Amino acid sequence: GSYRMHLLSPEMWGDLLGGEKHAGLLDVGAGAGYVTAGAKAYFDAITATETSEPQRKRLEERGFEALGADLTHASLERKFDVVSAFNVLDRTARPLTLLRSLMAHSSGKVIVSMPLPAQPHVHVKGGTRAPDERLPSFASDWETAARELSERMLEPAGLKVERLARAPYLSRGDTQARMYVLDDAIWVCSL
């Protein structure tokens, strides 16, 4: 019973990709594949990484190749046309290391998203802690945070921001709220 989440519809995927079809997608930290599923019409093959074994089983049930690799520590030794990481950079201990790995695995585009303003933390055994590497944004409003992350993280890493989109990220709630609606930034970048 993983909870459902929504960020991109198939039509939104198409808009972000300019309607073009690509050979391969690597979706890093894909969870149960709810966001990944919308990309099926735009890729010949989709590979996902997910460190949670139950989530990998769900990905495989949805027809995706699911790998348990943590790309902050390992390499897949292959490249993909597009590499994506949706709402992962603000939840990993080493976001800057992961960004470099995303770039190393891409032969064309990198798509990343993050709820803004950023509130990075890492889930560890029922609690949270601060990441080992800090994201370069401390802004308290969406627009400034999106600009800071573009100018201080993505561009210095060698990525060219082609598109910036704003979309609601919907996630089933918990005992505190029935549903969470976060304000996501989605960057489409080229190498």
Side-chain angles (χ1 to χ4, degrees):
S2 68
Y3 54 90
R4 290 192 58 85
M5 55 188 71
H6 174 78
L7 179 60
L8 295 174
S9 67
E11 294 78 17
M12 294 166 86
W13 267 102
D15 187 48
L16 287 176
L17 295 168
E20 297 175 16
K21 188 156 183 167
H22 299 271
L25 169 68
L26 173 64
D27 191 17
V28 176
Y34 292 113
V35 177
T36 317
K40 284 184 177 181
Y42 301 97
F43 294 93
D44 294 330
I46 297 176
T47 300
T49 67
E50 176 55 54
T51 57
S52 163
E53 186 175 342
Q55 298 288 46
R56 284 195 307 275
K57 288 180 182 176
R58 288 181 181 92
L59 286 162
E60 290 169 351
E61 289 168 0
R62 290 172 163 257
F64 301 117
E65 177 186 14
L67 308 174
D70 177 347
L71 296 185
T72 62
H73 301 290
S75 174
L76 300 180
E77 304 301 329
R78 64 190 210 208
K79 290 191 179 255
F80 299 82
D81 295 335
V82 179
V83 176
S84 61
F86 294 102
N87 299 351
V88 178
L89 290 176
D90 62 327
R91 295 296 178 259
T92 183
R94 300 171 60 208
L96 305 176
T97 300
L98 181 58
L99 181 61
R100 287 189 297 273
S101 183
L102 300 177
M103 294 171 63
H105 286 89
S106 175
S107 61
K109 294 190 184 304
V110 174
I111 303 173
V112 294
S113 76
M114 185 183 313
L116 296 179
Q119 296 180 353
H121 63 273
V122 181
H123 294 275
V124 181
K125 297 180 184 176
T128 61
R129 67 172 181 84
D132 299 334
E133 299 172 353
R134 293 182 64 135
L135 292 172
S137 175
F138 306 100
S140 61
D141 65 282
W142 193 95
E143 291 83 3
T144 304
R147 186 180 66 250
E148 284 181 350
L149 288 165
S150 295
E151 294 173 355
R152 295 181 184 173
M153 182 177 71
L154 301 173
E155 292 169 0
L159 290 169
K160 178 184 175 196
V161 177
E162 294 180 349
R163 301 185 82 180
L164 172 61
R166 187 174 189 169
Y169 170 57
L170 309 174
S171 176
R172 190 184 86 186
D174 53 23
T175 58
Q176 311 248 322
R178 286 189 70 198
M179 176 181 285
Y180 289 101
V181 180
L182 303 175
D183 203 4
D184 254 29
I186 304 168
W187 291 269
V188 179
C189 305
S190 58
L191 299 175

